Each structure stands twice: as C-alpha cells, then as structure tokens.
Amino acid sequence: TCSAILTEVGESIPESYTLGKSSEMLAETLKMYEELSDKWLKGEKTDDKTLHTTLQFYNVIVLASLFCKSFSLVVYFTCKAVQLSLHRGLCERTPLTLLQFTSIVTKDDNAVQCYRI
C-alpha cells in the first residue's frame, strides 16, 4: 500500500489530523517555499529515485484524500510533498506537487502567494 511504502522511506502518515494542524503546516510550508523558492527553482533536476517514488505516492494519496473529502489530509500530504521536494530537489513529480499546493493555497484566497508558486 501507499502507506507501507511511505513508511519504508522514512515518511509517516498521522492517525488523525485536524484543520487546525493543517493551517499550521500550510503556513510553515509557505514560509519554507518563500525562503527557498528562487534558489530551489533554479536548481538542477535530481535523479533521486526515492524522491520521485515518494512524491508519486503523495500525489496519489492527495487525490484519494480529495475524493474522501478530507481537506485536512489533502493539505497534510500536499505540504509533505512540497517540503520533501524543497529539501531534496526537483524531479518529474515536482510540477504536479506544486499544482496541488497552489490549489490549497488558492482555497485560502492567497492570490499573491499563488502567483509566486
């Protein structure tokens, strides 16, 4: 399962997650993105297969959470994917991750931040 694979690569899935926690995580991720965005976006593409696979699983779990109408988990998994990519580099899965991230930032009516992403 996606959960087992993520656990194998050192990632975790919370037992429960609230909208309050997701707001904090979103703010933290936006801050990280703001601090690294210019340097990070101009960086080299990484060949890290673990990053590629992990982001792929996060992208799938985000969609599953969306279909289950669990917005707090959509935020959690999207932010985890963005944070992971910010720390480890750009790969083929990064554009989809950023699109998913932009969709949750848009939900908070943060047009300026969406423009930066």
Side-chain angles (χ1 to χ4, degrees):
T1 66
C2 289
S3 174
I5 301 248
L6 288 172
T7 302
E8 284 182 30
V9 296
E11 298 295 313
S12 62
I13 297 177
E15 297 264 336
S16 65
Y17 203 72
T18 65
L19 277 175
K21 288 181 184 178
S22 64
S23 295
E24 292 172 18
M25 188 170 200
L26 180 58
E28 177 185 322
T29 306
L30 283 168
K31 182 180 176 191
M32 289 172 64
Y33 181 83
E34 189 65 33
E35 291 170 357
L36 296 173
S37 65
D38 292 335
K39 178 184 171 187
W40 175 70
L41 288 171
K42 293 177 184 174
E44 294 285 321
K45 179 183 157 201
T46 182
D47 291 331
D48 185 346
K49 301 287 186 217
T50 303
L51 173 64
H52 180 272
T53 303
T54 306
L55 288 181
Q56 183 175 10
F57 280 109
Y58 274 136
N59 295 152
V60 170
I61 291 175
V62 165
L63 292 175
S65 298
L66 184 65
F67 289 126
C68 293
K69 300 182 191 261
S70 177
F71 184 69
S72 60
L73 287 178
V74 169
V75 173
Y76 175 80
F77 291 120
T78 301
C79 287
K80 287 289 283 186
V82 171
Q83 289 177 8
L84 186 63
S85 195
L86 285 168
H87 286 294
R88 306 233 336 239
L90 302 168
C91 74
E92 300 87 17
R93 294 284 172 185
T94 303
L96 177 58
T97 299
L98 290 175
L99 284 171
Q100 290 173 332
F101 187 57
T102 302
S103 73
I104 62 172
V105 172
T106 302
K107 194 160 180 71
D108 287 339
D109 294 326
N110 195 340
V112 173
Q113 202 60 35
C114 289
Y115 175 75
R116 292 261 316 141
I117 296 169

